[in-house]
Amino acid sequence: MTGSREYPQAPVAGVGAVVIERERVLLVRRGQEPLLGEWALPGGKVELGETLEEAIVREVREETGLAVKPIRILNAFDRIDRDTTARVRFHYVLVDFLCAVLPGAKAEPQARTDVSDARWVPLQEIRESTKFVLRPFTLEVIEQGWRAMQSSGRPAPDF
């Protein structure tokens, strides 16, 4: 299949959103591979003709129903998963954004499209939680989002 995410012919461009509001971070539980069943940041594949900013706004809306505005890029990195034969199963080039929920917009997430759950999780809970276990790269970008909020004068808790 052309453009397949699994065993692709070329890397797939994707975006992720760090949305922090009232000392909570927006998390989704992935409803399909990669990361099936895991808690992660909302996000997904950039579509042809779409800017990175348009992609992150669309992905957050599709997965959670929330309307967000990208504030700044936090990180860009490769995520490469190989199968047991060392063949590349997934290869993403990801750009993570710090985002804010638009003023006056709906603020309670609902699981939609390719996620099985979407919720606000208290920042203090994600560090020691056995329920919301996050991959190290996810924790790292959330930390980057906290630091960015602190440097911009927005209140953010210590990590």
Side-chain angles (χ1 to χ4, degrees), residues 96-107:
D96 286 327
F97 284 86
L98 178 62
C99 297
V101 176
L102 291 175
K106 175 185 142 198

Side-chain angles (χ1 to χ4, degrees), residues 17-29:
V18 176
V19 186
I20 299 173
E21 183 176 274
R22 295 191 321 240
E23 297 189 16
R24 304 175 300 169
V25 65
L26 180 63
L27 296 179
V28 296
R29 183 178 290 218

Side-chain angles (χ1 to χ4, degrees), residues 29 39 125-134:
R29 183 178 290 218
W39 288 97
E125 190 174 328
I126 65 168
R127 292 191 323 193
E128 299 172 9
S129 177
T130 56
K131 182 176 181 179
F132 301 101
V133 177
L134 300 175

Side-chain angles (χ1 to χ4, degrees), residues 23-138:
E23 297 189 16
R24 304 175 300 169
V25 65
L26 180 63
L27 296 179
V28 296
R29 183 178 290 218
R30 292 276 155 227
Q32 57 186 295
E33 291 289 358
L35 305 180
L36 174 65
E38 291 187 37
W39 288 97
L41 297 171
K45 183 178 172 184
V46 178
E47 295 180 356
L48 184 64
E50 186 175 53
T51 67
L52 294 170
E53 291 84 0
E54 291 167 342
I56 197 58
V57 168
R58 176 186 52 77
E59 283 289 346
V60 173
R61 184 183 62 249
E62 285 179 358
E63 292 182 356
T64 71
L66 298 181
V68 298
K69 174 184 176 181
I71 298 170
R72 66 174 275 201
I73 292 174
L74 292 172
N75 199 350
F77 61 98
D78 292 298
R79 182 159 178 282
I80 303 169
D81 289 336
R82 297 181 186 274
D83 65 17
T84 57
T85 67
R87 188 172 164 216
V88 174
R89 183 172 177 214
F90 296 102
H91 183 171
Y92 291 96
V93 176
L94 299 168
V95 178
D96 286 327
F97 284 86
L98 178 62
C99 297
V101 176
L102 291 175
K106 175 185 142 198
E108 286 307 313
Q110 294 179 333
R112 298 171 143 188
T113 63
D114 60 350
V115 302
S116 62
D117 199 352
R119 64 178 68 187
W120 292 108
V121 178
L123 293 168
Q124 295 303 323
E125 190 174 328
I126 65 168
R127 292 191 323 193
E128 299 172 9
S129 177
T130 56
K131 182 176 181 179
F132 301 101
V133 177
L134 300 175
R135 298 256 176 137
F137 58 82
T138 303

